[in-house]
Structures are given as C-alpha cells and as structure tokens.
Amino acid sequence: MSKLTVSFILNGEEVEHETLPNRTLLKMLREDFDMTGAKEGCGAGECGACTVIMNGQAVNACLVLAPEAEGSIIETIEGLSDGTHLDPLQQAFIDNAALQCGYCTPGMIMTAKALLDENPTPTYEEIKEGISGNLCRCTGYKKIVQAIQSVADQNRVGHGND
Amino acid sequence: MRPFEYFRPSSLKEASELLVRYGDGGHLLNGGTDLIVRMRDGLTLPSAVIDLKGIEQLSRIREDEESVYIGATVNLNQVGRHETIGKSFPYLAEAALSVGSKQVRNRATCIGNLCNASPLADTATPLMALDAVLEVFGPEGEREIPIRDFFVFVRKTSLKPGEIVKGVRVTKTAGQGVFTKLARRKEVDLSMVCMTLLKAEDGWRLSYGAVAPTPVRLPKTEALLNQGAALEEVLSCAVSEVKPIDDVRASREYRLEMVKVMLKRGLEQIEKGGAVS
Ligand SMILES: Cc1cc2nc3c(=O)[nH]c(=O)nc-3n(C[C@H](O)[C@H](O)[C@H](O)COP(=O)(O)OP(=O)(O)OC[C@H]3O[C@@H](n4cnc5c(N)ncnc54)[C@H](O)[C@@H]3O)c2cc1C
Ligand code: FES
Ligand code: FES
C-alpha cells in the first residue's frame, strides 16, 4: 500500500500532508493534526459527533477517507474562533448551558454552523430537523436548540426581520 | 481498516480498467456511506478503492423536455432539492431526503443507494414506479438497464465485471405519486417498509421496499387497481405479492399488515388529490 499526498485547506490554511489511504478523515484530523474537537462516537454515520464542514457542507468525518480530502476545504471546530473572540454559536452554547459532558458539542456546533450558513434565520422546527443527525446523551436537546435559536434570533434582528 | 490502494481516476474508461484489473478486490467508492461502514466492519475488504468523484461528467443532474438524468456522483440532498425533481417527481425528492441525516445525504448518492442493492434502499421504489433506466459504462461499451432488471438479490445487481453506472434516467410522467417510509424514528433510521404508489396516465404503479430480497413492483395488484377492483381484493393481492422476513427492525407479520395499511392510506391520499405524502 502506498502513501499518498493530500493537499487541502484546513481552517483557512493550505496543507500538504502524507497519509496512508486506509484511514478516515476523522483519524487524520485527530491523530496527525491534533485537532481532537471532532469526536468518534459511533464511527458509522449515526451520531454526528465527528461532524466537520467540507466544501461548505456538514459531513461525518468518520465516513470520509483521508485521501478524499484532496482539493477540499475543511473547517473544524478549532477554526471557529480567531483565538480571542468566540463564534456566536460557541458563545450561545455557553450562555445557554447547552452542554454537559461536551462530547457531542463540536459536532453539534459544526452542524449548526452549516445550517446557519445556509439559512441564517431557521425556525424552531428547522433547527430541530437540522440537528437530527447529531445525538446528545446528556442535554435532552432543549438547550441546544435554544442556543442555536438565540443566534438565529440575532441574525433575524441583523437582517431587519426578514 | 485493511490496507488497500486508493485511486481517483478522471475518466470512466480508466475507472473501468482499474475495476477489471483488480477483479473481486476492486470496489467503486461513491459517497462511501455504505462502503466505508462495510470496510470498517470488515465486511468488505477491498484491495483497491476506486473513487468516482474525480470523474467530472458524473456530477450533474441534466434535464430536457422528456426526461431527467441524475449523474452517478450527485448526492441525495442535491436530488431532494432539485427544482424539477421536486415538481415532477415529489415522491422521489421525498424518498431522497428520507435517507439518513443531513450529513449522510451530503455524501450519499442516489446511484450508490441503488448499486448497494439493499432491499430497503429508499430511492429504489420511486425509481421502480417510474420505470427508470440505468445508463452503464463497461469494458464492452455502453448499455442501458431498465431498473426492473437491475436488482437481482440482496446486495446483488445485474452489473457485469468492470461495469459502472453512469446515471439514472427517468421520463417525465404526468400523474400523482406518494412515497411512504415506515421507520421506528422520524430521522436517521432505515425503512421497516417503504412504498411508492403512482397514478400515472397509463395506470397505477406500485412498488415496495424491505418486503422481499430486492425492491419489487406488484404487477397483479396494479392490474386490479386498473380494473377498479374492490379495496379488500386489492389489499390481499398486494400481500400475496410480497415475501417479507423477520429481522431486527420488524417482524414478517407486522410488515405484511403494514403493506396493506400503507397502500390503503396511499390510495386515500391520491384520491384526495395530495400529490405528496
Ligand atoms: C447513518 C446512516 C443512515 C442511513 N440511512 C439510510 C436510509 O434511511 N435509507 C437508505 O436507503 N439507506 C440508508 N443508508 C445507506 C446509504 O447511506 C445509502 O445506501 C447511500 O445512498 C449509498 O450511497 P453512497 O454514494 O454512499 O454509496 P457507496 O457507499 O459509495 O457505494 C455503495 C455500493 O455501490 C457501489 N457503487 C457506487 N457507485 C457505483 C456506480 N456508479 N456503479 C457501480 N457501483 C457503484 C459501491 O461499490 C458500493 O458497493 C444509511 C447509511 C448510514 C451510514
Ligand atoms: S462518529 Fe461519525 S457519525 Fe458517529
Ligand atoms: S453534552 Fe454529553 S453528549 Fe451532548
């Protein structure tokens, strides 16, 4: 089996990286780039704990092979804040106490980010549906939906109530 | 995961040659939502993984006056949100959006759903009802396979060695259709039974998933519907045309009962003029 070089943009930075093909994008991010935000829950597409944004779309990093990253733009939870300011979603999760153990949180936030990028002002129902690919064993979801809702509300004000 | 070689060819010819070269060990990778899970579980052990996503021509939905063509690497969210598909085949759009989660559908393709040949493949029943045609590229050139002849058994299709599905074509059909999926949860769950009922200009079309080794059409029941037979007769005929099994998701008995319930409700819905379920 030969190693491959994959070039992609990771949180805004161009990277060129050697990897074996028989591993997932999730493993590569966690083990080679020390980006341990995305978690492996099920490893089979069921739980969403591994969600990252690939070319603008939320995907399960456990169902992408490392070499499939070639030429793509990948965003992970680590790229959300600029080091000083949290992303509004991160702040909203804190303000609404939308996490307990935190295992699902990076995936949940990346899913919510993709949702809001597509539709900045989703309804309550759209938020619930939007995060239905992410499981949380702790919170009961209510506060998670509230947190996302609060950012949607800010957006709504920003958008002049459209 | 066991070691394998990864290829990302840029043409169908190249991909097909790789498939032939690696024989049984060569596996096509599309969205990977079936294949990667199987590789992880050690159920499929490829010596070569041949990624189709580098083949530009497979990535589009095309349409003309008569038909819509879904390329092999088009994902299920793209299918579900496509304007013409939503208008002309709302039940196909709905089936596409019923698969997995948003994240899964951002990768999973309609063609992968068909080629995986699971009896419960959600996009299979609308495409069966539409008499869709698969366009195939292979070592001996191109050919077309009507979807009725595509599924052979659980996880087995009529594709020959080295053949690759380029896309699936459906003819625009006037009519009303209903897709119904019965699952234990609303999201991210597999069908216990799924069904498409279509009232086309030339008559009724009915297909089910998860009630036989492959998705099936029910020609006898369709004939009874066309003759305007009594409901009871139609329903018992439908039950006689399927062969469900007991599994983790549902019992045979329950599935048989649901075949009737879903058909009855589907007929009511179409009667009321609801095009979408
Ligand atoms: C969490 C989760 C939930 C799911 N829920 C559902 C559900 O609700 N309903 C449902 O029906 N399915 C479901 N699935 C299964 C899967 O997502 C679908 O079957 C999906 O459409 C497969 O498409 P893919 O592109 O990912 O296929 P892949 O995994 O890439 O390929 C599947 C198979 O088809 C072959 N293949 C792919 N493309 C071609 C081609 N062009 N020519 C020839 N052979 C080809 C591959 O070699 C492989 O054997 C689920 C999967 C997961 C992980
Ligand atoms: S770890 Fe990827 S979906 Fe669960
Ligand atoms: S906070 Fe523990 S899983 Fe969601």
Side-chain angles (χ1 to χ4, degrees), chain A residues 26 39-51 59-63 103 133 135, chain B residues 101 103-104:
Chain A
L26 178 63
K39 305 275 185 285
E40 178 163 298
C42 63
E46 308 271 351
C47 75
C50 63
T51 304
V59 303
N60 296 312
C62 71
L63 292 187
Y103 199 83
L135 296 180
Chain B
S101 63
Q103 290 97 312
V104 168

Side-chain angles (χ1 to χ4, degrees), chain B:
Chain B
M1 252 185 258
R2 273 247 306 249
F4 55 81
E5 299 295 333
Y6 170 87
F7 298 96
R8 193 181 172 96
S10 54
S11 73
L12 280 163
K13 188 161 175 289
E14 221 182 310
S16 169
E17 281 166 8
L18 283 164
L19 259 187
V20 172
R21 174 163 15 126
Y22 282 89
D24 285 347
H27 287 264
L28 295 173
L29 171 69
N30 207 332
T33 61
D34 278 311
L35 184 66
I36 295 173
V37 175
R38 291 183 62 82
M39 284 163 59
R40 163 185 178 268
D41 294 342
L43 298 170
T44 300
L45 302 167
S47 49
V49 168
I50 304 152
D51 192 345
L52 292 173
K53 292 186 293 296
I55 307 174
E56 242 306 287
Q57 70 180 99
L58 303 180
S59 66
R60 279 182 292 275
I61 298 181
R62 290 200 308 265
E63 60 172 303
D64 55 29
E65 254 151 51
E66 281 128 55
S67 61
V68 175
Y69 172 87
I70 302 169
T73 60
V74 172
N75 75 39
L76 289 170
N77 278 330
Q78 292 170 318
V79 172
R81 292 195 198 133
H82 190 264
E83 209 184 320
T84 308
I85 294 177
K87 267 196 208 129
S88 304
F89 319 107
Y91 41 94
L92 172 59
E94 203 183 330
L97 295 179
S98 83
V99 171
S101 63
K102 179 92 170 274
Q103 290 97 312
V104 168
R105 291 189 303 274
N106 276 336
R107 300 292 292 173
T109 64
C110 181
I111 299 302
N113 195 222
L114 300 178
C115 292
N116 192 53
S118 158
L120 56 75
D122 282 312
T123 64
T125 65
L127 292 167
M128 295 272 286
L130 285 164
D131 284 324
V133 174
L134 291 119
E135 296 185 9
V136 174
F137 178 95
E140 267 134 57
E142 310 217 343
R143 66 173 178 131
E144 298 194 338
I145 308 178
I147 195 163
R148 270 176 206 248
D149 303 332
F150 186 69
F151 302 112
V152 176
F153 196 66
V154 182
R155 306 193 44 75
K156 179 132 189 48
T157 68
S158 55
L159 288 175
K160 295 189 200 135
E163 283 191 327
I164 299 168
V165 176
K166 290 194 322 180
V168 64
R169 193 179 70 232
V170 282
T171 308
K172 292 185 185 165
T173 323
Q176 291 171 286
V178 172
F179 168 79
T180 320
K181 167 172 179 170
L182 187 70
R184 296 154 300 178
R185 301 201 302 153
K186 255 170 73 185
E187 308 278 342
V188 202
D189 200 0
L190 301 175
S191 286
M192 295 191 281
V193 182
C194 53
M195 177 199 82
T196 298
L197 174 65
L198 174 61
K199 189 181 185 184
E201 273 170 337
D202 60 356
W204 290 92
R205 303 183 189 177
L206 175 63
S207 56
Y208 280 94
V211 293
T214 66
V216 284
R217 276 282 286 267
L218 275 55
K220 291 184 193 147
T221 311
E222 290 174 7
L224 285 178
L225 283 167
N226 289 336
Q227 291 157 23
L231 182 64
E232 272 316 307
E233 197 186 343
V234 169
L235 298 182
S236 47
C237 181
V239 166
S240 75
E241 286 193 276
V242 299
K243 288 188 213 61
I245 54 165
D246 292 313
D247 70 11
V248 288
R249 279 177 289 281
S251 68
R252 173 188 143 79
E253 202 185 348
Y254 180 71
R255 286 191 160 104
L256 285 173
E257 195 55 33
M258 290 308 112
V259 162
K260 288 203 254 180
V261 171
M262 288 161 81
L263 177 52
K264 186 162 165 262
R265 289 186 187 160
L267 288 165
E268 284 167 6
Q269 226 170 325
I270 288 183
E271 207 144 282
K272 272 191 264 160
V276 197
S277 78

